[in-house]
Amino acid sequence: LINDSGIDLLGYIADQAAVSLAVATNTVFTVGDDTADPNGIVRASTLGVTGASGIGGAFSADNLLELLYSVGPQYRRLPSAGWMMADSSILATRKLKLGDGQYIFVPGLTSSEPDTLLGYPLYSNPDVAAVTNSAKSVIFGALDKYMIRQAGAIRFERSDDFAFTSDLSTFKIAIRVDGDLLDTTGCVKHFLGNSG
């Protein structure tokens, strides 16, 4: 197929491998368990606020304000300060209002401008847990305090020998990475849905 295809099959495989690598690394950098994977930013964050009981782990506008102010001003003032949550949580956030009826979510004016929540950028991350009991469904803080280390280059390799008897070419993509929130003084905090 590589020899007979009328399209750039190798380019397509490389593109798909890059997407797969991006998805896999986002997962471990978000919720990695710090054993075989990096310590994900959600796991490394500290508790900012716990939600009310009896509402399935949902957050309120007041909870988000409490989470915002649970992070010290030295981190809130940094350009990297922002929110991170899954799309389903962002949708719930878009419906929240303060006591005066004003929405706390402000959509970006262009596709290159992030949405904001209480004046801070809001980033969508599919690997942050959705709202449910005992879930860390929202994080806020100085997101650039999460450090990622890559050891060596990304390797994209092809072998025409590995599956020679089947007349197949095999491909492998590999990367060596680690990550952790090195500042442990509360620069990134999370909302925890109540388990009650």
Side-chain angles (χ1 to χ4, degrees), residues 29-31 40-49 59 64 67-68 70-71 80-86 89 117 120-125 127-129 135-144 146 181 187-192:
F29 291 143
T30 304
V31 293
I41 190 170
V42 174
R43 184 182 183 281
S45 65
T46 54
L47 177 64
V49 62
F59 50 81
L64 295 178
L67 180 57
L68 170 70
S70 72
V71 173
S80 66
W83 304 88
M84 191 181 298
M85 60 183 83
S89 299
L117 176 61
Y120 292 89
L122 172 59
Y123 302 103
S124 172
N125 185 335
D127 291 307
V128 177
K136 298 175 184 177
S137 58
V138 181
I139 63 171
F140 173 80
L143 302 177
D144 71 343
Y146 185 81
L181 194 58
C187 61
V188 177
K189 295 196 175 185
H190 61 260
F191 166 82
L192 181 68

Side-chain angles (χ1 to χ4, degrees), residues 89-110:
S89 299
I90 293 174
L91 177 59
T93 302
R94 291 190 74 151
K95 301 175 183 179
L96 294 177
K97 298 177 185 177
L98 296 173
D100 61 0
Q102 294 293 316
Y103 287 99
I104 64 174
F105 175 94
V106 177
L109 298 177
T110 66

Side-chain angles (χ1 to χ4, degrees), residues 26-183:
N26 185 73
T27 299
V28 297
F29 291 143
T30 304
V31 293
D33 61 9
D34 199 27
T35 53
D37 295 328
N39 192 20
I41 190 170
V42 174
R43 184 182 183 281
S45 65
T46 54
L47 177 64
V49 62
T50 301
S53 61
I55 55 174
F59 50 81
S60 65
D62 286 346
N63 290 148
L64 295 178
L65 282 166
E66 291 163 359
L67 180 57
L68 170 70
Y69 286 101
S70 72
V71 173
Q74 70 273 28
Y75 300 118
R76 292 196 314 265
R77 292 187 184 122
L78 293 175
S80 66
W83 304 88
M84 191 181 298
M85 60 183 83
D87 281 350
S88 59
S89 299
I90 293 174
L91 177 59
T93 302
R94 291 190 74 151
K95 301 175 183 179
L96 294 177
K97 298 177 185 177
L98 296 173
D100 61 0
Q102 294 293 316
Y103 287 99
I104 64 174
F105 175 94
V106 177
L109 298 177
T110 66
S111 60
S112 62
E113 183 178 306
D115 300 326
T116 61
L117 176 61
L118 299 170
Y120 292 89
L122 172 59
Y123 302 103
S124 172
N125 185 335
D127 291 307
V128 177
V131 170
T132 190
N133 290 335
S134 302
K136 298 175 184 177
S137 58
V138 181
I139 63 171
F140 173 80
L143 302 177
D144 71 343
K145 296 299 180 186
Y146 185 81
M147 301 293 174
I148 295 173
R149 177 180 178 269
Q150 179 177 323
I154 297 172
R155 296 189 339 260
F156 185 67
E157 300 168 345
R158 172 184 174 174
S159 173
D160 294 325
D161 301 323
F162 179 76
F164 174 77
T165 57
S166 301
D167 198 27
L168 296 175
S169 295
T170 56
F171 298 89
K172 177 177 80 171
I173 187 167
I175 186 172
R176 293 178 54 226
V177 294
D178 200 2
D180 206 346
L181 194 58
L182 300 182
D183 186 330

Side-chain angles (χ1 to χ4, degrees), residues 2 8-19 156 169 171 173:
I2 292 171
D8 179 12
L9 188 59
L10 294 179
Y12 174 78
I13 291 170
D15 286 346
Q16 292 306 302
V19 170
F156 185 67
S169 295
F171 298 89
I173 187 167

